[in-house]
Amino acid sequence: MARDDTRPGPAPVPDEAEESVPFETADIYGAYPRLPDDQIARLAQHGRRRAVDAGDVLIREGERCETFYVVLSGSIAVVEGHGTPDERLLRVHGPRRFIGELGLLHGQVAFYTALVRDPGEVLALSMEQLRDLVNRDSVLGDVVLRACLGRRALLVGQGAGFRIIGSRYSPDTRRLREFAARNRLPHRWIDLETDEEAEELLRRFGVGPEETPLVIWRDTTLLRNPSNAELARLMGLPSLPAGNHHGDLLIVGSGPAGLAAAVNAASEGLDTTVVEAMASGGQAATSSRIENLLGFPSGISGAELTERAVLQADKFGARISVPAEAARLEPRDGHYAVRIADGGEITARTVVLATGARYRRLLVPGIERLEGTSVHYSATLYEAQQCRTDPVAVVGGGNSAGQAVLFLAGYAPQVYLLVRGPSLEAHMSRYLIDQVERHPRVRVLLHTEVTEALGDKVLEAVAVVDNRTGENRHLAVRALFVFTGAEPHTEWLSGALALDARGFVLTGAEAQAGSVPELWQSQGRDCLTLETSLPGVFAAGDVRSGSVKRVASAVGEGAMSIHLVHRYLGHTAAPGGTDSSPHTRRKESAWLA
């Protein structure tokens, strides 16, 4: 909805809808670049020119887009709800612009319709042609990726996409909202209690409040309380392969450790499958900015880091399925079988466990009924947009809490950081401490613990106590963000392999010590560094006992785990025989590095 810029090239197509918002506001993520002559010339060598007339539909909302379009002349309108009473203009693309956002790269359905507004000419490339080109042109690939990431962020901010109608008190409403938010799916929540639109939509579709939550898509598709998997299929998220897939490696979890393992394994020719219960990126994907990761001097958002890693893994042929929750692990005929919670099974020669950890729930009176409405365990754009007028509080003293505070301070007028300990130095990086302490909207309260959440339908205040003096008081805040401690996702592994007292996976010498001696004697070797008490099953990242809870460490362990997978596969290959895994085969079939 921003105005076309005035960089060199054909004059932008004027449009009154675009004039209402300054260009700088919408193009903050580089979402709408103009391609220079040399990049258009390279694209033209692979694609075909095509004349288009006013009204021609190039991309249709709800359908997968398999063509990449560059506007050579004329203009293309991007609209939501095309042909319905709620049709809304999102953007007009003029010459040198291209059509598409993140769903184009992931093979998801389109969240908009692209139709010709002014007749002209476009350049059309198949996705395979585009992948082949950008695989050899990193500059063009980076331009396309950054634009697609930025456009997805703008779609989210505009409330485009499907609608969720449900009560803020409904656990299923909270579940659907969390799944959509964590997977960065453009959507809008319509509160059954407070939004007047909810009643009109229920009447239009002939359903009662007791049948909510509902998912409405394009005013033609209605799902009554769908599972996460049903919503994922509707939006085109990748699903598990049919049947019992047999591969070299199964990675359980797609946070930084899992994605690093996937990139390294697939690039080295291992047949690699990744299953993820909720959303790629893990807790890191909810970070507004990661500034201490090597190679990103200006920082990078967790969402962008995740999307780049997912596309890189896809480039080398790794298969990532969301949602697919692992429910059981068992050895079987020299392989490992992992049962998926909602049906299906995957068998692989090796397994990397990278399920990460989740923030521990804050167990104080009054908090449970407010979780998902005004008590949150992540700080993303969805939550921040609800905090523009009211003060909020963040609980925690680590890096995640510090990043959340700085992000929320860009929206809320006042952010309280509640820290149980005497200082921030114990668990927070120095660069974050400096920024937190300097920010005019942030107030740090040390020696402070939450004792109660106050409010009926929404949070009205939190009761806190000074753990030195015993003084009690209330802080008038309308949202509470909790980043305290971590619990591993290992309930499904209980009894299958060795865990420490807190449920984290033991590896290396500790895992071997917890195993029967005969197991490793039969292997003729000691347990490898990241190997668990099951030979050929490895753990990397936050789920591993003793790991450093940092993104860079998780990435390093994910990469290291693949080195150890190769050692294990080499050790178990028959002497003088040929390893059935094509370790040296490369799958550089497509996409952005």
Side-chain angles (χ1 to χ4, degrees):
M1 296 180 64
R3 182 177 65 230
D4 266 343
D5 60 48
T6 55
R7 290 176 236 178
V13 178
D15 180 72
E16 65 279 2
E18 293 188 312
E19 293 295 332
S20 61
V21 181
F23 172 80
E24 291 78 12
T25 300
D27 204 41
I28 189 171
Y29 303 107
Y32 300 108
R34 290 188 183 281
L35 299 178
D37 289 341
D38 61 327
Q39 289 182 347
I40 291 178
R42 285 197 292 277
L43 289 165
Q45 293 175 358
H46 297 259
R48 63 183 181 87
R49 292 175 178 268
R50 171 181 160 188
V52 291
D53 295 321
D56 287 352
V57 175
L58 303 182
I59 298 173
R60 194 175 299 276
E61 189 173 350
E63 297 180 0
R64 294 179 188 270
C65 178
E66 299 179 349
T67 305
F68 179 79
Y69 294 102
V70 179
V71 183
L72 299 178
S73 62
S75 66
I76 309 296
V78 175
V79 300
E80 181 189 20
H82 176 53
T84 72
D86 300 323
E87 181 172 322
R88 179 166 59 130
L89 176 67
L90 299 177
R91 184 78 192 186
V92 175
H93 291 282
R96 299 181 184 274
R97 293 271 171 84
F98 60 85
I99 313 299
E101 56 91 47
L102 199 58
L104 176 75
L105 309 186
H106 286 320
Q108 297 173 4
V109 299
F111 292 95
Y112 53 82
T113 294
L115 67 158
V116 179
R117 181 173 180 173
D118 296 304
E121 189 178 33
V122 298
L123 182 63
L125 288 83
S126 70
M127 289 307 299
E128 285 303 317
Q129 289 172 321
L130 178 66
R131 288 166 178 163
D132 180 67
L133 178 59
V134 300
N135 205 34
R136 293 183 278 107
D137 188 336
S138 60
V139 174
L140 177 60
D142 194 59
V143 169
V144 173
L145 175 58
R146 287 193 59 81
C148 288
L149 287 167
R151 293 178 189 183
R152 173 56 64 93
L154 292 171
L155 282 176
V156 169
Q158 291 167 336
F162 59 93
R163 287 169 286 185
I164 299 173
I165 304 177
S167 168
R168 64 179 58 198
Y169 308 113
S170 163
D172 283 318
T173 298
R174 293 198 295 267
R175 170 182 57 80
L176 290 170
R177 291 181 62 204
E178 180 185 12
F179 182 78
R182 290 288 301 277
N183 283 283
R184 297 169 290 281
L185 297 175
H187 73 284
R188 180 160 59 93
W189 171 48
I190 301 173
D191 190 345
L192 194 62
E193 273 77 29
T194 62
D195 200 319
E196 294 180 358
E197 186 183 357
E199 184 177 350
E200 189 275 328
L201 285 169
L202 293 181
R203 190 166 49 248
R204 184 194 304 179
F205 285 93
V207 296
E210 69 280 358
E211 297 180 78
T212 60
L214 304 175
V215 169
I216 299 176
W217 176 228
R218 296 182 296 140
D219 277 345
T220 60
T221 302
L222 183 146
L223 300 180
R224 290 175 170 84
N225 192 18
S227 67
N228 289 352
E230 289 172 324
L231 179 57
R233 300 295 83 80
L234 181 66
M235 295 297 111
L237 270 62
S239 58
L240 283 172
N244 183 357
H245 181 78
H246 295 263
D248 296 320
L249 172 66
L250 172 63
I251 300 169
V252 184
S254 64
L259 291 173
V263 168
N264 282 269
S267 68
E268 295 170 11
L270 293 178
D271 185 292
T272 303
T273 299
V274 183
V275 292
E276 168 58 54
M278 175 59 73
S280 294
Q283 295 291 352
T286 67
S287 297
S288 57
R289 185 145 298 271
I290 302 168
E291 297 188 66
N292 59 350
L293 185 60
L294 182 67
F296 296 93
S298 300
I300 184 171
S301 73
E304 182 174 352
L305 180 66
T306 296
E307 295 300 347
R308 286 179 175 271
V310 168
L311 292 169
Q312 195 172 12
D314 179 68
K315 164 187 173 177
F316 293 116
R319 296 173 297 277
I320 302 177
S321 299
V322 180
E325 182 178 3
R328 184 179 178 184
L329 169 68
E330 63 179 35
R332 184 181 300 166
D333 301 326
H335 290 62
Y336 288 98
V338 172
R339 172 71 62 179
I340 305 303
D342 59 355
E345 186 176 86
I346 300 176
T347 304
R349 303 174 66 198
T350 57
V351 176
V352 170
L353 303 173
T355 50
R358 56 177 174 264
Y359 294 114
R360 189 177 297 118
R361 291 182 59 223
L362 189 62
L363 301 178
V364 299
I367 202 167
E368 184 175 0
R369 66 176 179 271
L370 301 174
E371 289 178 331
T373 58
S374 46
V375 174
H376 310 284
Y377 294 88
S378 63
T380 68
L381 178 64
Y382 294 93
E383 293 88 14
Q385 288 176 333
Q386 303 175 36
C387 305
R388 293 186 179 277
T389 59
D390 301 306
V392 302
V394 175
V395 181
N399 277 7
S400 296
Q403 290 163 352
V405 163
L406 295 172
F407 175 60
L408 294 168
Y411 295 84
Q414 176 81 68
V415 181
Y416 295 97
L417 177 58
L418 312 181
V419 183
R420 181 174 56 182
S423 71
L424 295 176
E425 280 79 2
H427 302 290
M428 191 178 294
S429 298
R430 184 72 246 175
Y431 79 94
L432 277 176
I433 295 175
D434 293 340
Q435 294 180 54
V436 167
E437 292 179 339
R438 289 197 305 261
H439 202 291
R441 295 187 182 181
V442 175
R443 184 178 176 188
V444 180
L445 302 180
L446 302 175
H447 299 284
T448 301
E449 298 183 44
V450 176
T451 58
E452 187 176 3
L454 306 173
D456 181 18
K457 295 184 177 181
V458 295
L459 184 68
E460 297 175 2
V462 291
V464 298
V465 62
D466 186 313
N467 57 28
R468 296 171 302 175
T469 67
E471 177 188 358
N472 291 279
R473 60 172 171 153
H474 291 175
L475 295 177
V477 296
R478 295 298 179 265
L480 182 67
F481 296 82
V482 181
F483 299 91
T484 58
E487 296 176 335
H489 291 281
T490 56
E491 300 90 347
W492 65 288
L493 293 170
S494 179
L497 45 71
L499 307 175
D500 69 12
R502 294 189 298 158
F504 290 89
V505 178
L506 292 173
T507 56
E510 291 181 319
Q512 183 168 343
S515 309
V516 295
E518 293 78 15
L519 174 65
W520 297 101
Q521 291 173 3
S522 67
Q523 294 287 314
R525 61 178 178 84
D526 289 332
C527 183
L528 299 173
T529 307
L530 300 182
E531 198 168 19
T532 70
S533 58
L534 289 176
V537 177
F538 302 84
D542 289 0
V543 75
R544 190 179 67 83
S545 179
S547 66
V548 178
K549 305 300 188 282
R550 291 287 186 271
V551 172
S553 299
V555 170
E557 288 193 7
M560 180 181 174
S561 70
I562 304 308
H563 169 71
L564 299 176
V565 164
H566 281 297
R567 286 183 59 183
Y568 170 80
L569 291 174
H571 181 84
T572 56
T578 301
D579 192 343
S580 62
S581 170
H583 288 235
T584 59
R585 185 183 72 244
R586 301 184 65 84
K587 298 181 179 179
E588 299 179 357
S589 58
W591 209 220
L592 306 170

